[in-house]
Amino acid sequence: MHASPPGRPGRARPDRSPLARAADWCFALQTWLMVACLVVMLVLLFGNVALRYFFNSGINVSDELSRLAFVWLIFLGAVIALREHQHIGVTMLVERFGPAARRVSHIACQLMILWVLWLLAEGGWVQTVIGLDTVLPVTGMPLAVFNAAGLYAAVAMGILTLIDLVRVIAGGPLPAESSPEDPLI
């Protein structure tokens, strides 16, 4: 097992700003929330299968809670992947551009991403509000807990995209041209 490179959330660096350290802490918390979602899914689904097989009974809430954990796991992972620049990107065309054209295309792409995230956040908000009045049949939780995952992801990814956009407009390096040790990414 190797240590995280400098500047990554897995390792604290005292020379980073308090805001950067707070962001690292938030993303470490998100990682632990993802672990908790996986543990909940594992325990509930395995326990339900074992109880059904051995005792002909089961855990009534296991399907709803494991589905909820899975939805939140996916959206938390999407936010972390965006921060780490791990989403799929096709760069065949952009690699042929010069530095100025790369910067312009990156800014244009980030603006389009912000627009799509705005649509996702707006739809997530509407669905969350609608889901407040609808309850799940077994647990009785409002359906809004599912929809809130999409809303959270849209807002968090929008903030990350805005930060990246401001940094690039201010003359900072493009994420594709930064090294993994770069404390700005």
Side-chain angles (χ1 to χ4, degrees):
M1 184 178 214
H2 64 287
S4 299
R8 292 292 186 197
R11 189 170 170 190
R13 287 187 31 180
D15 60 332
R16 298 198 56 174
S17 72
L19 190 58
R21 286 193 306 255
D24 288 345
W25 182 85
C26 286
F27 282 93
L29 176 63
Q30 265 189 238
T31 303
W32 282 107
L33 286 172
M34 289 176 61
V35 169
C37 287
L38 279 172
V39 167
V40 165
M41 289 169 53
L42 176 75
V43 168
L44 286 175
L45 293 176
F46 178 76
N48 201 28
V49 168
L51 283 172
R52 287 198 191 281
Y53 184 74
F54 291 116
F55 301 107
N56 202 22
S57 70
I59 306 169
N60 291 337
V61 298
S62 68
D63 288 338
E64 285 181 7
L65 290 180
S66 60
R67 192 177 309 124
L68 177 65
F70 183 70
V71 167
W72 274 93
L73 175 76
I74 296 301
F75 282 108
L76 288 170
V79 173
I80 290 175
L82 180 70
R83 183 180 192 231
E84 298 293 325
H85 304 292
Q86 296 297 315
H87 282 279
I88 295 175
V90 180
T91 59
M92 290 186 321
L93 178 64
V94 177
E95 287 173 349
R96 298 176 191 263
F97 291 169
R102 282 185 190 183
R103 186 168 299 278
V104 168
S105 68
H106 181 76
I107 290 170
C109 286
Q110 294 300 79
L111 289 172
M112 285 188 281
I113 288 170
L114 281 174
W115 176 64
V116 169
L117 289 172
W118 172 260
L119 294 175
L120 181 63
E122 188 177 36
W125 174 256
V126 169
Q127 289 300 313
T128 301
V129 170
I130 290 170
L132 287 172
D133 295 329
T134 307
V135 294
L136 298 172
V138 178
T139 60
M141 287 189 303
L143 187 61
V145 294
F146 282 97
N147 302 322
L151 176 61
Y152 166 77
V155 170
M157 289 191 289
I159 291 169
L160 290 172
T161 304
L162 274 174
I163 290 170
D164 178 68
L165 187 61
V166 168
R167 186 175 53 83
V168 169
I169 289 173
L174 298 175
E177 297 171 352
S178 302
S179 70
E181 290 81 27
D182 188 354
L184 295 175
I185 59 173

